[in-house]
Structures are given as C-alpha cells and as structure tokens.
Amino acid sequence: MYLSSPDMCVIFFACRAGCPSPIFGKDDKNMNTRITELFGIKYPILQSGMQWLATPELAAAVSKAGGLGIISATIFMVDSDPAATKASLVAGLAKCRELADGHPFGLNISMLPHADYDNNTELFFRTAYEEHVPVIETSGNNPQAYYELLRGWEKEDGRDNEHDKIKLIHKCPSVRHALSAQKAGADAVTIVGFECAGHPGLGDVSTMALIPVAKEKLSIPVVAGGGICNRNTFVSAMALGADGVIMGTRFVATEECGIHPNWKQLIIDSTENDTAVLQYKVRNANRVWYGHQDKKNPENSRFSKTAAWVKKTEAAWDLDAPHDKPLIAVLMAGDPNDEEVRGISGKNQRVCYKNGNINGCLFPMGLCVGQIHDIKTVQEVFDEVCGGAESVLEKLRGEFAY
C-alpha cells in the first residue's frame, strides 16, 4: 500500500495496532500538532479570514472553542482615511481580544489590490504590531517586504524572541508559493486546493494532491484548506500530512457568522455541483455559488444572476481584441441591462451580504457545501469535528485490522 506521507504512515499503523491516535494528547481532549504548539491552541483548526465575514465576533467564538479565529482587516477599511481605518481596526482588535477571553486570535491581511479602497497593507501591519496581535495571516502576494518590516520593528524593542514575536502564516494556492513564503520568513503556511471557496489559484490542483507534496518540500508547518468541513474531511487532511486545517464555508453556516440568513440557507440548499470557478481571464480565479438546472422540473432551477453574467461575459471576451476598457473594469461595473447584477465589486458584495440579495454579487462557496446540512454554533462545529475524529479513527482501526 502506498502511503503519501510519514504522518499518514503513523496514523495508519496506529489504527492497525489499536493505539491512540497521534493527533490526540494524553487526556484525549487536546490535540498535539506543530500548529497547536505554534499558536498555543487546543485544536489544529483555523477559521478562514473571509472578506466581510471574518468579524471579531466570529473569530472570538472560534478561538474560545479551541481553534484560531481570524479577523479580516478589510472589514475596517475607510475610504481615503488612514486615521479612521486605523482607529476602526484598533477597536475591532480590542473587541475580539475581549470576546476571546484570553485565547489567541489572528488578523488576515490580504495583499491583493483592492479596487474599491486604498492600499492599507503597511498600516495594517503596523497596527497589528502596536496592538500585539498574536498571529498575522497574509495572502495575495509575496509577503517578504512586510515580514522584514515587522521583524525590524520587533527587533528595535526587544520583541524578536519566540515568546513575544508575532507568528506569521501565509495562505497560498501552490507549493511553489509556499516555498517562497517559507523563504520570506513565514512560521507556517496554509495551502488551499481547488476545492476551496474563493481563490484557489490558477493551477486547478486538489487539496489531496497538494498537501503530501508540500509536506515533502517544506520544513515549516502546513495547514490544509479546501473541502474540509467535518470529522471525516478533517481526519483525511491530517492523514495526508497536514499539521492543521482551515475552514471557511462551514463557519459561514454558523450562528455566529453575521451574514444574512438567506446566504446561510443557500449553503444548506446547495450541493457539491452548485459552484463554479470564474474570473480566470482576469487571473483571479474565484470559486463561487453558481446554481443548478433541474431538467425534469425547470421551475426548481436556481442560478446566481451575477455568476451567470460573469461567466457569459468572460466566455465572450476576446483577450486579443481591442476594447474600450479592460475586462476587470467591465466585471466591476456590472450588467448595464440588469440593475440587480452590480458586478464583482467588494463594496457591493458587502451590501448584499447584509441585505440578503443572493443575486446581487458573487458568493464564495467551497465544494464541501454538499456536506453541510444545518446551521450550527461554532462550538457545535468543533464538537462534531474534534469530538468525532476519534470515532473516525476507531472505524478505520476496525477496517484495517487483520
């Protein structure tokens, strides 16, 4: 039997021998991986820093449940007003710290260009440093320049030690980018496969294919993302060799997530066939809810008007032909013939998340959606995933015994 990683080998032979799982601590209530040790958390589960949704309330709930909750810095951006942006972020960090009740949390800083806002990347790093944020998650571009800035600030005031320094984790869609992040100074990396909601990169490589290769080539801890939402997928990711997992879509379908109930119900009503990856032609691949067609009962067909318009517009766009404006500008502006389809603007998405208009924007949705059937509390998600992991391994022990 071919085993894809050393960690898979450990779990497999532990199952055969009837020994306790190596991911559980001595009291069977804590898990012990390089990620739990790095971040000082009970379970190796991170909550994705989802734009507009990764709030202090959601992050604090995840951290209190034993994982690492992550706030999205983009939530706090104020148009052309760095001082107001910083004040808003400081207040958000204070709120999360209070709600998390002493548990560690992180701040996601996306370094992708924000068409709707100014570039606040350095401001976000400086504020995180001044406010002693335990963990920074970066994404979007090579973080080396900002890592060097942060480490320089820490060195100046004596915080450049393992106890005081901010832990850095970079999210990326490929092993190549993960190696660059390791070279840049990341303490860990998150690698998301083709199954993930949002931006899986342009390589179309699955989580199952990425994680074993990442474990072979990287020396720092690896967090797996894409397709993970329950006890079975969690154990599968750990068996591939991951040191932890990150979940997004599952945490959107929780009571603590502040999105409108229409979107949560959409997750429950959707299947693994209802997503699509769009925006390839603007080199920003994005897995979103697309919808489905019911050929037997056409009245039951349901599509995202915005996703359908983006797909149609991209398909018709000739990249080699002259145009009055670039494709990204067209997609940002929306359909001139349908006022409900207001394009891929982040500001518009924020409005739709609040008012529940499921046709008005793109909605990132992972392939794991077919396995999500209810709205849980964050604590219930952890109880199911972590509390059920041992039962999955026990089942494997029985199946592998001979």
Side-chain angles (χ1 to χ4, degrees), residues 42-69:
K42 188 175 181 180
Y43 303 118
I45 297 177
L46 283 62
Q47 161 245 314
S48 180
M50 303 166 286
Q51 182 166 267
W52 314 130
L53 303 180
T55 62
E57 292 83 358
L58 178 59
V62 171
S63 292
K64 288 186 72 174
L68 184 73

Side-chain angles (χ1 to χ4, degrees), residues 81-308:
D81 193 338
T85 294
K86 180 172 182 176
S88 179
L89 177 56
V90 169
L93 294 172
K95 185 174 187 178
C96 186
R97 182 172 280 114
E98 178 184 2
L99 294 174
D101 196 23
H103 294 84
F105 62 93
L107 178 69
N108 169 269
I109 302 176
S110 171
M111 295 176 293
L112 283 171
H114 292 280
D116 297 325
Y117 296 94
D118 297 330
N119 187 343
N120 292 296
T121 303
E122 185 171 342
L123 181 149
F124 289 150
F125 266 89
R126 184 73 195 187
T127 305
Y129 159 73
E130 292 173 353
E131 297 301 313
H132 293 258
V133 171
V135 180
I136 291 177
E137 177 197 57
T138 52
S139 58
N141 279 312
N142 190 315
Q144 182 168 348
Y146 295 104
Y147 284 4
E148 290 175 353
L149 267 179
L150 175 66
R151 295 306 186 211
W153 298 331
E154 290 176 331
K155 186 174 182 179
E156 287 177 1
D157 68 359
R159 286 166 55 185
D160 57 335
N161 58 77
E162 290 304 314
H163 181 266
D164 295 323
K165 73 176 185 178
I166 295 175
K167 305 302 188 293
L168 299 171
I169 181 167
H170 186 68
K171 184 189 293 181
C172 50
S174 72
V175 176
R176 175 173 63 89
H177 290 106
L179 286 166
S180 295
Q182 177 175 268
K183 184 177 179 181
D187 298 301
V189 290
T190 291
I191 302 183
V192 294
F194 184 63
E195 302 91 332
C196 80
H199 303 291
L202 300 171
D204 295 354
V205 183
S206 72
T207 305
M208 181 169 280
L210 284 170
I211 300 306
V213 177
K215 287 292 290 187
E216 287 179 6
K217 296 187 176 182
L218 293 158
S219 61
I220 57 178
V222 174
V223 173
I228 302 161
C229 65
N230 54 27
R231 65 184 70 179
N232 293 305
T233 49
F234 168 67
V235 171
S236 298
M238 300 302 286
L240 290 173
D243 298 287
V245 303
I246 191 166
M247 300 193 299
T249 305
R250 173 65 268 189
F251 284 127
V252 177
T254 59
E255 292 182 9
E256 290 87 349
C257 182
I259 199 169
H260 192 281
N262 286 359
W263 296 105
K264 297 182 185 182
Q265 189 62 44
L266 187 65
I267 291 174
I268 294 171
D269 293 341
S270 297
T271 75
E272 68 280 5
N273 298 311
D274 290 344
T275 75
V277 182
L278 307 176
Q279 299 176 220
Y280 278 114
K281 285 191 175 180
V282 293
R283 301 193 61 78
N284 191 27
N286 190 8
R287 180 176 294 284
V288 299
W289 174 62
Y290 187 80
H292 64 273
Q293 181 176 5
D294 190 329
K295 293 182 179 179
K296 292 184 178 180
N297 301 290
E299 68 276 8
N300 293 332
S301 297
R302 193 181 194 188
F303 290 95
S304 162
K305 291 177 69 174
T306 294

